[in-house]
Amino acid sequence: MKDMKRNLEDITNKLKNNNIRPSHQRLKVLEFLDNNRIHPTVEQIYHSLYDEIPTLSKTTIYNTLNTLIEAGLVRILTIEDNEVRYDIRTDTHGHFKCKSCGNIYDFEVDMDLVEVKGLNGFRIYTKDVYFSGICSKCLEQEDGAKIFDKVI
Amino acid sequence: MKDMKRNLEDITNKLKNNNIRPSHQRLKVLEFLDNNRIHPTVEQIYHSLYDEIPTLSKTTIYNTLNTLIEAGLVRILTIEDNEVRYDIRTDTHGHFKCKSCGNIYDFEVDMDLVEVKGLNGFRIYTKDVYFSGICSKCLEQEDGAKIFDKVI
DNA sequence: TATAATATTGTAATGATTACAAATTAGAAA
DNA sequence: TTTCTAATTTGTAATCATTACAATATTATA
Ligand SMILES: [Mn+2]
Ligand SMILES: [Mn+2]
Ligand SMILES: [Zn+2]
Ligand SMILES: [Zn+2]
């Protein structure tokens, strides 16, 4: 209870600090991203908030996300064709997509030590890492041989 | 001259070896990807081949690329929202996108040595790396201070 | 050459995102 | 609290990339 309120206050301040009016819709979108760290799509966010906000428009989700991205509070993930996802974590971290369940996991990676060849004289601003494979849950649940045979 | 012919023969064999009929359009698409390592978009490929093949349809470009991807001869790059690109290199390598000129460069990276936390029990199949910043050409050409001030 | 299988083409359909203007809401001022 | 104005939300239309589909053309083989 208290945590919920505190959290909402934090989110409100987060918006205010970035000169973004803390409207009901914006608070709900940011709260959803904070509570559901699943790198959701626009569709997922819209569908999840629709019960609470029956007048909600999908355009508002797009507008809000673009506003949040511009302010650096959210970042966009385009790890695969035809699915754009949104991440409330903006610090450097890697992403793993499970080919079986489709879930996207965060992982920690230190790219500072990685050696690269062919970028002499280049100025690097961002480093993104994207892995894919089968997550531990899917490996446990499903039959090992089955997964091994699956065409990837 | 001779190299061109040889190259075309190689491309034809490449298709045949993968049970893909070496049609005129397919040869031209693959040849373009081989000769122009710029990670082109569908639009770029279409536009470049249109002079040679006036009857060319954009659907053919899509069909051909999907066929080549399925055969593992080409891979798709979705390093940024709203631009899908295609790469004839299918071996593991990194990509750098210049925020100034928009060009995408290949670079060599050894991901085997990279340490990650949070993927215990995961089976990893692919590892992709995507950097962004300013390329050496743009740094040389433009005024340093100007680039530094530019909002990224 | 004749035939059947496959590829190409043009057009229509789909789906995600954006543009835009009207309606609503939030925040400051009175 | 009420009023006023600017910002936000909403619904609809427009745009753009990609795919579906059927007709036409091409290829491989006999
Ligand atoms: Mn993440
Ligand atoms: Mn490449
Ligand atoms: Zn999984
Ligand atoms: Zn550049």
Side-chain angles (χ1 to χ4, degrees), chain B residues 27-131:
Chain B
L27 284 170
K28 284 299 174 186
V29 168
L30 207 48
E31 188 189 40
F32 180 82
L33 287 169
D34 200 30
N35 293 340
N36 306 85
R37 308 254 174 157
I38 56 172
H39 311 93
T41 63
V42 164
E43 190 57 41
Q44 280 178 298
I45 300 169
Y46 176 73
H47 185 254
S48 299
L49 299 182
Y50 190 76
D51 292 335
E52 279 184 277
I53 314 169
T55 59
L56 188 62
S57 165
K58 207 175 275 185
T59 301
T60 299
I61 305 295
Y62 280 106
N63 289 341
T64 300
L65 288 170
N66 288 336
T67 301
L68 296 174
I69 288 167
E70 212 171 335
L73 298 179
V74 164
R75 74 158 160 158
I76 196 165
L77 287 187
T78 55
I79 54 185
E80 218 154 85
D81 191 17
N82 69 38
E83 62 167 32
V84 176
R85 292 167 168 278
Y86 297 87
D87 195 347
I88 200 171
R89 276 191 64 182
T90 54
D91 63 313
T92 301
H93 63 284
H95 290 102
F96 176 97
K97 168 149 185 175
C98 177
K99 299 233 181 210
S100 180
C101 63
N103 288 341
I104 292 173
Y105 297 84
D106 287 332
F107 64 85
E108 309 310 315
V109 59
D110 185 2
M111 289 301 290
D112 294 335
L113 309 171
V114 177
E115 262 185 58
V116 301
K117 258 187 271 183
L119 295 181
N120 291 97
F122 284 50
R123 187 182 294 164
I124 299 167
Y125 287 125
T126 67
K127 297 182 178 186
D128 283 317
V129 182
Y130 162 49
F131 289 3

Side-chain angles (χ1 to χ4, degrees), chain A residues 23-75:
Chain A
S23 70
H24 185 55
Q25 286 85 343
R26 285 169 176 169
L27 283 170
K28 285 298 174 184
V29 168
L30 206 47
E31 188 189 41
F32 180 82
L33 288 168
D34 201 28
N35 293 340
N36 307 85
R37 308 255 174 155
I38 56 173
H39 311 91
T41 63
V42 163
E43 189 58 40
Q44 280 178 298
I45 299 169
Y46 176 73
H47 185 254
S48 299
L49 298 182
Y50 190 77
D51 292 335
E52 279 184 277
I53 314 168
T55 60
L56 188 63
S57 165
K58 207 174 275 184
T59 302
T60 300
I61 306 295
Y62 280 106
N63 288 341
T64 300
L65 287 170
N66 288 335
T67 301
L68 295 174
I69 288 167
E70 212 170 335
L73 297 179
V74 165
R75 74 158 160 159

Side-chain angles (χ1 to χ4, degrees), chain A residues 58-100:
Chain A
K58 207 174 275 184
T59 302
T60 300
I61 306 295
Y62 280 106
N63 288 341
T64 300
L65 287 170
N66 288 335
T67 301
L68 295 174
I69 288 167
E70 212 170 335
L73 297 179
V74 165
R75 74 158 160 159
I76 198 164
L77 287 187
T78 54
I79 55 184
E80 217 155 86
D81 191 16
N82 69 38
E83 62 167 33
V84 176
R85 292 167 168 276
Y86 298 87
D87 194 347
I88 199 170
R89 275 190 64 182
T90 54
D91 63 312
T92 301
H93 64 284
H95 290 102
F96 177 97
K97 168 148 185 175
C98 176
K99 298 235 182 209
S100 180

